[in-house]
Amino acid sequence: SQTIHQWPATLVQPVGSPLSLECTVEGTSNPNLYWYRQAAGRGLQLLFYSVGIGQISSEVPQNLSASRPQDRQFILSSKKLLLSDSGFYLCAWRGGGLAGSYNEQFFGPGTRLTVL
Amino acid sequence: KQEVTQIPAALSVPEGENLVLNCSFTDSAIYNLQWFRQDPGKGLTSLLLIQSSQREQTSGRLNASLDKSSGRSTLYIAASQPGDSATYLCAVRRSGGSNYKLTFGKGTLLTVNP
């Protein structure tokens, strides 16, 4: 069976510090990978998605970047955090390829980021 | 642009009651619709996935229906329990070139009182 991991679970960082959140998926290959942010009182916002190693698409311009160094690893980064980067960050995956359009999307446990 | 609306935003019911959560979407050109549950401070748990060619899916006490032409889906929860308390979100995946992403509603916060 497939599992998705995120770490850390909770992070408190000062403004201007760097950020690295990691997501890994087990039990599948060539997944589509996603980073979402969920801010208090707001819906889920898609930040980045990736259909393969080194292939990253950004949904919104922002202070964050993403990388996919391995097939089942997705990293969210920032060089300098802003207060507005605070939120709940969720990684997700679904099966890739044309048939993947019909597949379920699964989410990780999330990382709570507080920028002070 | 696809928009997903969930009504009501919050719902409080006594234990044992049957209930319906509603989801509507503006663009009927979808591949599928997915219902999720989110507990406070946790990630999303997939409940049911309905393909565009299907009318409903069932899992235990949950039944989700889809009327693509009218842009509506409902999640029916039978014999509700306090453990069902959570936020329920629906999301649609459009067909065509932008099918890489899900468009989410803002969710319905369900409280089941013992």
Side-chain angles (χ1 to χ4, degrees):
Chain A
S1 63
Q2 300 86 6
T3 55
I4 178 169
H5 304 279
Q6 286 187 246
W7 64 89
T10 306
L11 190 60
V12 180
Q13 292 284 91
V15 169
S17 64
L19 173 73
S20 181
L21 303 181
E22 189 165 343
C23 170
T24 58
V25 182
E26 296 178 354
T28 188
S29 59
N30 194 31
N32 290 350
L33 296 173
Y34 304 81
W35 278 113
Y36 291 83
R37 177 169 58 203
Q38 189 175 38
R42 300 179 63 180
L44 277 160
Q45 179 186 33
L46 178 64
L47 302 175
F48 300 95
Y49 73 96
S50 171
V51 299
I53 296 174
Q55 301 178 62
I56 309 295
S57 295
S58 174
E59 280 293 297
V60 292
Q62 57 204 321
N63 184 44
L64 303 170
S65 62
S67 61
R68 184 170 176 175
Q70 301 181 44
D71 181 46
R72 290 169 288 178
Q73 184 184 31
F74 205 22
I75 297 172
L76 183 69
S77 304
S78 174
K79 292 182 179 178
K80 290 185 177 182
L81 283 169
L82 305 172
L83 286 174
S84 58
D85 291 324
S86 292
F88 192 49
Y89 288 82
L90 290 157
C91 181
W93 77 273
R94 71 176 177 94
L98 183 61
S101 299
Y102 295 90
N103 291 354
E104 280 183 275
Q105 187 158 311
F106 299 95
F107 283 78
T111 295
R112 174 72 59 189
L113 171 66
T114 303
V115 182
L116 301 174
Chain B
K1 176 185 176 184
Q2 178 74 272
E3 293 182 1
V4 180
T5 303
Q6 291 188 246
I7 295 174
L11 180 64
S12 181
V13 301
E15 181 177 3
E17 190 165 297
N18 301 326
L19 59 99
V20 174
L21 306 180
N22 297 293
C23 172
S24 62
F25 46 96
T26 55
D27 186 350
S28 62
I30 64 169
Y31 264 132
N32 55 42
L33 182 145
Q34 200 167 348
W35 281 94
F36 296 89
R37 166 187 173 137
Q38 186 176 28
D39 294 291
K42 305 293 184 182
L44 277 66
T45 299
S46 178
L47 297 174
L48 290 164
L49 173 71
I50 309 178
Q51 304 296 353
S52 60
S53 58
Q54 298 174 323
R55 295 301 298 264
E56 65 178 306
Q57 282 285 344
T58 298
S59 176
R61 294 182 294 109
L62 305 180
N63 176 277
S65 68
L66 175 64
D67 185 341
K68 195 174 76 165
S69 61
S70 67
R72 295 179 183 177
S73 176
T74 61
L75 180 66
Y76 174 82
I77 302 177
S80 59
Q81 303 171 357
D84 294 330
S85 298
T87 297
Y88 290 80
L89 298 107
C90 74
V92 297
R93 186 179 306 282
R94 66 170 290 178
S95 58
S98 299
N99 63 0
Y100 53 86
K101 69 175 184 178
L102 290 172
T103 302
F104 283 85
K106 292 189 176 180
T108 294
L109 176 61
L110 173 66
T111 302
V112 181
N113 301 300

